[in-house]
Amino acid sequence: MWSQRAEEIVSRLIAGLPPAQLDPARTHSARLRALHIGGSMWADYYLRPNGAVVVVGEEYDQPDVGTVHTDRSNVLMALVWGARRYPELLELIPTRPTDAVDCFCRTSPIFAEGKLLCSECGALGWLPAEGTR
Ligand SMILES: [Zn+2]
């Protein structure tokens, strides 16, 4: 699902980051050469130009260790979440095919508020039709 265009957009966003965002004391962006997407209770989420998601501090007792995720769900979540901060990412979120099905999260109040991202659908709110997954 990652494209040349996607790589260009993420690279450009990283290149355009203000110095504070690249300060090693504040984020891991410079070290990882990745875009800071956001933070949870203790982990920080980054997106690399090649479409890999790096989660720093995923393990509570290893705050500086980065874990790389490249599966569809994690990449989609990074895009949906990141687009709130970097609207340029919006165009990388796949459009819903006509035969897609609603994800269960659409009926769940916890997910509806947008505070929690659904890992089943990658926060899209829909899943590809059975057979095309
Ligand atoms: Zn969902």
Side-chain angles (χ1 to χ4, degrees):
M1 63 177 274
W2 208 249
S3 63
Q4 173 101 43
R5 171 88 183 136
E7 184 164 347
E8 283 167 14
I9 289 174
V10 177
S11 295
R12 198 167 58 219
L13 285 169
I14 295 170
L17 286 175
Q21 279 291 311
L22 294 167
D23 180 353
R26 299 175 61 174
T27 80
H28 298 276
S29 281
R31 177 171 68 85
L32 298 172
R33 278 187 289 189
L35 191 63
H36 187 220
I37 296 296
S40 68
M41 294 284 271
W42 56 77
D44 271 304
Y45 293 73
Y46 294 86
L47 181 63
R48 283 197 163 133
N50 67 359
V53 177
V54 186
V55 186
V56 179
E58 192 169 56
E59 300 294 333
Y60 183 67
D61 55 350
Q62 296 177 307
D64 291 318
V65 174
T67 311
V68 177
H69 298 278
T70 55
D71 58 283
R72 177 181 163 89
S73 167
N74 269 292
V75 176
L76 286 175
M77 274 196 286
L79 289 175
V80 172
W81 190 10
R84 296 179 192 169
R85 196 166 155 186
Y86 314 102
E88 292 91 334
L89 295 178
L90 275 174
E91 74 164 84
L92 303 182
I93 298 171
T95 46
R96 179 179 171 139
T98 47
D99 59 351
V101 290
D102 278 357
C103 180
F104 77 93
C105 65
R106 291 182 91 93
T107 56
S108 162
I110 308 171
F111 293 113
E113 287 172 29
K115 288 180 188 149
L116 203 63
L117 299 177
C118 174
S119 60
E120 186 70 25
C121 62
L124 291 176
W126 54 267
L127 295 162
E130 207 71 57
T132 59
R133 282 174 214 173

